[in-house]
Amino acid sequence: MNTRWGTVFLGIVLVAGFAGLWRLQQRIDVQRDALHQEKDDLVLRSGSMLKAMSLEYAPLMADLYWTRVVQYYGDKNLRRDENLELLWPLLDVATTLDPNLLVAYRFGSMFLSERPPSGAGRPDLAIELINRGIRANPDYWRFYEDLGFIYYFELNDYQKASAAFLEGSKKPGALIWMKVMAARVMEEGESSETSAFLWNEIYNSTNDPQMKQNAATHLQLLQVEANCKQLDAIVAEYQARAGHPAKSVRDLVNAGLLRRMPVDPLGFPYILDAEGKAQLNPASPLVTQKRRYQKPLAGALQSAH
């Protein structure tokens, strides 16, 4: 009897002991992570010191830090974590170690300028990074392309976007469209045709899967915008003929104004809202994407930085 109770008591002690060890390990892990983060911050902000210590191995160290940027950004996006505070320090170190690391400037500026949750929402830092790249690599015309994209898409500053495209068009090897875009952006500001051209350029020039998907989504939304504009014109024609507004897109088909039900780039049929305007089908995934990529007011975005 005493032996049985002793065994039970020993089991209780062991369970309590393991529970205590588990809680202790949890606290240790939290403290270790905090210490690791603190060490990261200390190291990340000492690019010039790392360069001095690395000597001829500085470019290799830069590659390692750039790899870390990609891993950090990818992991944050995978976990939908919008806290990208270490993105700029990592890029700062990578480009300090190797001022000629072109990929770090180009993709780094995309990671910085994209709005959350896709990026850090810091076009100001993206511009600073690109300008650093231009100072170190003054004849590389692609940096002016990137700079023009940031001013055009993120800041709606068409004058500066045009100036960036124009300056880049003067560099060796620059494609002729840079000069064309400079004139068009200055003359028209934002237009669907210009935006489509630039997103196509981003789509074709990037090797990053997420950036390519981002560009593809923007191109789909531009197609939606064009489709809805065309449908609104047909709705107006229907009302002029029938003497009353259309209740649905099906009315347009039945009236012979459309051959078939129009669909968005993902295959979902368009609908008419309460005011008779063409809209995305609520079931279409592009509805969520449209809200995600909805442009803020230019002034609000500029004042935020």
Side-chain angles (χ1 to χ4, degrees), residues 174-215:
L175 298 182
I176 187 63
W177 70 260
M178 289 281 284
K179 186 172 292 186
V180 175
M181 281 299 105
R184 179 178 291 182
V185 170
M186 178 59 74
E187 181 181 350
E188 302 176 5
E190 181 182 21
S191 70
S192 297
E193 294 78 10
T194 302
S195 294
F197 182 92
L198 295 177
W199 281 119
N200 264 307
E201 174 62 20
I202 292 175
Y203 181 87
N204 293 324
S205 65
T206 181
N207 294 320
D208 180 79
Q210 185 165 351
M211 291 300 173
K212 191 174 282 289
Q213 180 57 53
N214 181 23

Side-chain angles (χ1 to χ4, degrees), residues 115-133:
R115 299 172 199 134
S118 298
R122 293 298 304 271
D124 57 329
L125 291 180
I127 290 170
E128 183 176 341
L129 183 67
I130 287 295
N131 281 329
R132 177 188 294 189

Side-chain angles (χ1 to χ4, degrees), residues 14 19 46 57 64 75 84 86 89 108 137 145 176 199 209 219 224-225 246 258 295 300:
L14 287 173
S46 56
Y57 298 105
L64 293 175
D75 180 63
L84 294 169
L86 290 183
N137 308 271
E145 174 191 27
I176 187 63
W199 281 119
L219 288 169
V224 167
E225 183 181 316
L258 292 171
K295 276 192 175 183

Side-chain angles (χ1 to χ4, degrees), residues 78-90:
L78 186 64
R79 294 188 287 111
R80 290 292 181 181
D81 184 352
E82 297 183 16
N83 179 11
L84 294 169
E85 291 182 1
L86 290 183
L87 186 56
W88 169 251
L90 279 166

Side-chain angles (χ1 to χ4, degrees), residues 17-220:
F18 281 125
L21 286 173
W22 181 83
R23 287 194 296 270
L24 177 61
Q25 184 62 49
Q26 290 291 100
R27 289 198 295 270
I28 291 173
D29 288 343
V30 170
Q31 292 174 354
R32 182 188 62 195
D33 290 343
L35 181 61
H36 180 67
Q37 185 77 16
E38 182 181 351
K39 286 182 177 178
D40 277 350
D41 278 338
L42 289 173
V43 172
L44 290 172
R45 285 167 172 75
S46 56
S48 56
M49 182 182 71
L50 278 173
K51 186 172 184 178
M53 294 171 60
S54 302
L55 300 176
E56 69 270 20
Y57 298 105
L60 176 60
M61 288 290 293
D63 288 338
L64 293 175
Y65 267 90
W66 170 241
T67 301
R68 192 172 179 185
V69 169
V70 175
Q71 292 172 341
Y72 173 78
Y73 176 78
D75 180 63
K76 289 285 188 176
N77 272 270
L78 186 64
R79 294 188 287 111
R80 290 292 181 181
D81 184 352
E82 297 183 16
N83 179 11
L84 294 169
E85 291 182 1
L86 290 183
L87 186 56
W88 169 251
L90 279 166
L91 288 165
D92 181 30
V93 171
T95 53
T96 298
L97 286 167
D98 185 0
N100 304 122
L101 189 60
L102 304 182
V103 65
Y105 296 111
R106 300 207 67 203
F107 284 98
S109 65
M110 292 185 191
F111 299 160
L112 286 168
S113 63
E114 279 288 314
R115 299 172 199 134
S118 298
R122 293 298 304 271
D124 57 329
L125 291 180
I127 290 170
E128 183 176 341
L129 183 67
I130 287 295
N131 281 329
R132 177 188 294 189
I134 289 173
R135 288 192 295 272
N137 308 271
D139 289 332
Y140 187 62
W141 71 271
R142 287 286 187 182
F143 284 156
Y144 294 92
E145 174 191 27
D146 300 329
L147 193 59
F149 288 155
I150 296 168
Y151 280 125
Y152 182 89
F153 288 118
E154 307 301 339
L155 296 176
N156 308 131
D157 191 331
Y158 307 122
Q159 184 173 356
K160 288 185 178 179
S162 176
F165 290 137
L166 182 60
E167 185 63 26
S169 72
K170 303 173 185 177
K171 301 301 176 181
L175 298 182
I176 187 63
W177 70 260
M178 289 281 284
K179 186 172 292 186
V180 175
M181 281 299 105
R184 179 178 291 182
V185 170
M186 178 59 74
E187 181 181 350
E188 302 176 5
E190 181 182 21
S191 70
S192 297
E193 294 78 10
T194 302
S195 294
F197 182 92
L198 295 177
W199 281 119
N200 264 307
E201 174 62 20
I202 292 175
Y203 181 87
N204 293 324
S205 65
T206 181
N207 294 320
D208 180 79
Q210 185 165 351
M211 291 300 173
K212 191 174 282 289
Q213 180 57 53
N214 181 23
T217 299
H218 277 92
L219 288 169
Q220 289 172 339

Side-chain angles (χ1 to χ4, degrees), residues 224 228 249 264 266-274 277-291:
V224 167
C228 287
V249 178
D264 69 25
L266 298 183
F268 291 82
Y270 289 101
I271 64 167
L272 300 184
D273 63 17
K277 296 291 185 181
Q279 298 289 337
L280 281 168
N281 192 311
S284 175
L286 286 174
V287 171
T288 302
Q289 297 297 339
K290 185 177 181 181
R291 287 196 296 265

